[in-house]
Amino acid sequence: MHYLDNSATTRVSEAAAKKALELMTENFGNPSSLYSFGMRAEDELNKARSVIAKALSVSEEEIFFTSGGTEGNNLAVLGAVQALRRRGNKIVTTAVEHSSVYETASYLEGQGFEVVRIRPDKSGNFAPEDFRNAIDEKTILVSVMAVNNEIGTVLPVEKLRKYIEFKGSPAILHSDCVQAFGKIPLRLGKLGVDIATISGHKIHAPKGVGAVYIRKGLRIKPIYFGGEQEKKLRPGTEAMPLIAAFGTAAGELDIPKSYTKAKELKAYLLQKLSELDGVVINSPENAVPYILNFSPVGIRSETMLHFLAQREIYVSSGSACAKGKPSHVLEAMSLDRGVADSAIRVSFCSDNTTEDIDALVSALRDGMNTLVKRKQI
Amino acid sequence: MKEIVLAKVGEIVLKGLNRRQFEDQLLKNIRNCLKSLGSVEVKAAQSTISIVPQDEFIDLDEVCERISRIFGIATYSRAAVCDEKSLESVLKTAPEYLAEQLESAKTFKVEAKRSDKKFPFKSPEICRETGGKILQSFPHLKVDVHNPDLVVNVEIRDFGAYIHGKALRGAGGIPVGTGGNAAILISGGIDSPVAAYMMAKRGIRLTAIHFASPPYTSERAEQKVVKLLKKVARYSGNMNMYTVPFTEIQETIRKKCPEDYFTIIMRRLMMKISERIARDKKCQALITGESLGQVASQTIGAIACTDAAANMPVFRPLIGMDKQEIIDISYKIDTFETSIEPYEDCCTVFTPKHPRTKPVLERIEDAEAKGEFDEMIERALQNLKLTFINRED
């Protein structure tokens, strides 16, 4: 098969899978238990925390494990807003956030908060001034993703701390780093964020685990209540098999290697796509090399997806999360309806090869020649 | 206390000479339906069917749930079996079994049926004695023979004495298998599962036909149809589903036929193919979920053109129904939530901007002939996919 959908999810690495099994069948104690068998599990918890903290250039006490990106984003947005409710009621975010930020913001809108969603231009890029203009003293949360999952654009997160200070805003700065972690260098301290979200299954760890970074000294409100785990910020028995596997996978990351590989693959794909007639590239040039969004105009995404899947080539149409709904990201870019309806997203990992791309392009060519185009769109 | 289910048969009581056949079919259907729950004895006597679990682990709630969906049954109720067929036992059992309902009722009455004429007490006497015993145990109650909160039923039958409260409405209709065979054209929409249910209700044994156009339609759309048919199968019994590979034909319609005829020609070809399958599987009619005026392809003119493509009866049980009425049934048979899942099926893949609402048959036939579909129809019929729809998961 040719798996080109790594931004949707990735295959768990051998080492990470082995680690998970070990924590299920051998070292299966509860880290909160008082006896030494539980302490052995706690060791693994600390190890994983340490590896991930190192990968983000932050300290261990700033990392809290969650069940994944969605929970992390909910905790960040709701927790931050609850903490600063008395200081203001405005939230500045973007129109291209993942639905776990987008929908949470909509929920808060319903609760009476003002939500400003900055839009990108037609190329998908953002003008930093738009954020500067929107942030003010009533703003209590600025939530901007680092890399967009659908088109791969890099957002100007590093500029936001300055704007917040300049405008005298009390805002907490949060960044959904799910698509950035393990792909591009992330030094969260330097980036200036207060909270960041990452997810395991995008970096060859199992699904069901993630983490949030919360800057030392910042207090946000938890959204779950119960036990003492994770400093009461995320109670519940720690998902050791998943967390340990997450740590193992994080330890295997080699960003320079992956980045270079992705660059080569993207260049190759762009070259081969240029040989086809009627393909529009939606991702801007300065997007990360791991993600490429393009449209074989005239053929509905879902149709092409099934066509490719029949040949065991797996890609996404728009966003993997939304079954059948038009992508709010492509809409925010004001893409032509016909282009948006036929958008395909390819996303690489280091296991992909030029053979995968050859198979994809060959199938695309066949599809574009044989599938009937819809006159409608 | 031992409990059984008593079911009263409906319309088939009126059938005269065919009555035996209908009854046998009904008993067979009940036995088949309950088979997977365990050992159950199903017997008929004097237009009442008794369903008697043979082991104590059988879930009677599940039994009743299934019985409520068997066509041919007018009403059914859970009944307690008295230890012996004696008045004493009746007097002991009635207040005990119906204690909860008697507590919360304010008025009641007793009705007795005595089909075993050898029983020493006559019905009025049974009523009197039982009523008296109940008043003793539940002094707050009053007797109301006109409009009581609760009716206590006592039935003295050949094999025992039974007590039950209010009978529940059954699914009505006539037993599946007594109405012949027909083929339902099923899409994933709200209407066709309802049409299938309504014809099964008149005793028809169903065969399902579904049209798929991969890659324009997804596997999920087909899975959705299977899910819907499983729900219908709880009423109609198990059935075969034939999936017709329709991609080539749909692409050809798109390429060779005028845009405003797309839908009508597609439906005509679906009728032609379905009729071939129907005849092959010994069906004598087709069934569709068409309703007059709901969409452009279902105006009277359009339906006339579609109908002209078939040479066997086409049953359209929804033809005179409002959308809301159809939706209400779809809720009742629990297909609505599944029907509204958004997976595209054939009917919506290539929709014309301006469909013909008053099509002229000759022009349609001409346009269709130009497409030269005969060979493609044969190919589609050679490549049918069979899926067996089982009501059990």
Side-chain angles (χ1 to χ4, degrees), chain A residues 300 306 372-375, chain B residues 215-216 218 254 343-344 349:
Chain A
R300 230 173 133 255
H306 294 315
V372 179
K373 299 192 170 36
R374 294 181 98 180
K375 279 200 193 134
Chain B
Y216 304 98
S218 73
R254 182 61 170 58
Y343 301 118
E344 184 146 57
V349 169

Side-chain angles (χ1 to χ4, degrees), chain A residues 90-108:
Chain A
K90 184 166 165 184
I91 297 168
V92 173
T93 180
T94 75
V96 305
E97 296 298 310
H98 182 265
S99 54
S100 54
V101 169
Y102 198 94
E103 297 293 328
T104 310
S106 297
Y107 163 74
L108 290 171

Side-chain angles (χ1 to χ4, degrees), chain A residues 158-170:
Chain A
E158 71 287 354
K159 301 215 158 73
L160 301 178
R161 167 60 46 192
K162 275 199 325 255
Y163 295 153
I164 291 174
E165 283 169 11
F166 179 66
K167 287 304 210 52
S169 165

Side-chain angles (χ1 to χ4, degrees), chain A residues 344-358:
Chain A
I344 302 280
R345 176 192 73 184
V346 167
S347 41
F348 304 116
C349 78
S350 352
D351 294 332
N352 289 125
T353 62
T354 49
E355 268 98 64
D356 293 323
I357 296 179
D358 289 333

Side-chain angles (χ1 to χ4, degrees), chain A residues 147 152 154 180 182-185 253-267 285-291 348-350:
Chain A
V147 171
V154 178
K183 312 245 167 90
I184 58 174
L253 291 172
D254 181 350
I255 294 179
K257 183 158 160 256
S258 318
Y259 196 88
T260 312
K261 184 83 185 287
K263 255 176 83 179
E264 286 166 12
L265 291 170
K266 176 172 170 179
E285 275 227 38
N286 57 352
V288 293
Y290 300 88
I291 297 173
F348 304 116
C349 78
S350 352

Side-chain angles (χ1 to χ4, degrees), chain A residues 18-206:
Chain A
K18 235 172 118 197
K19 192 71 181 170
L21 188 60
E22 186 192 308
L23 271 287
M24 286 190 233
T25 56
E26 291 167 31
N27 190 3
F28 61 85
N30 187 327
S32 302
S33 300
L34 299 173
Y35 40 75
S36 64
F37 185 53
M39 286 168 67
R40 274 174 53 197
E42 198 187 357
D43 283 341
E44 293 290 339
L45 179 60
N46 294 336
K47 258 197 340 226
R49 205 188 300 277
S50 166
V51 170
I52 287 170
K54 188 142 166 265
L56 293 167
S57 302
V58 299
S59 49
E60 292 168 30
E61 55 203 332
E62 296 174 311
I63 298 293
F64 301 83
F65 289 109
T66 62
S67 66
T70 296
E71 188 199 325
N73 281 334
N74 268 263
L75 174 57
V77 173
L78 295 174
V81 158
Q82 280 292 39
L84 290 189
R85 230 171 57 224
R86 289 180 230 290
R87 305 281 302 269
N89 78 330
K90 184 166 165 184
I91 297 168
V92 173
T93 180
T94 75
V96 305
E97 296 298 310
H98 182 265
S99 54
S100 54
V101 169
Y102 198 94
E103 297 293 328
T104 310
S106 297
Y107 163 74
L108 290 171
E109 225 170 357
Q111 300 287 305
F113 288 88
E114 184 194 341
V115 175
V116 174
R117 292 185 174 83
I118 312 286
R119 293 171 72 120
D121 58 32
K122 274 207 91 158
S123 75
N125 284 312
F126 283 83
E129 317 81 72
D130 288 346
F131 293 99
R132 193 185 58 208
N133 295 335
I135 295 170
D136 62 18
E137 332 80 61
K138 288 257 150 251
T139 307
I140 55 175
L141 172 67
V142 176
S143 178
V144 176
M145 66 198 325
V147 171
N148 177 267
N149 53 313
E150 290 194 31
I151 40 176
T153 40
V154 178
L155 284 81
V157 179
E158 71 287 354
K159 301 215 158 73
L160 301 178
R161 167 60 46 192
K162 275 199 325 255
Y163 295 153
I164 291 174
E165 283 169 11
F166 179 66
K167 287 304 210 52
S169 165
I172 287 175
L173 178 57
H174 163 245
S175 181
D176 173 353
C177 294
V178 166
Q179 296 288 342
F181 180 55
K183 312 245 167 90
I184 58 174
L186 271 186
R187 277 181 199 79
L188 294 182
K190 219 163 141 237
L191 197 56
V193 298
D194 296 306
I195 313 178
T197 313
I198 60 174
S199 162
H201 72 104
K202 310 288 199 229
I203 61 153
H204 308 290

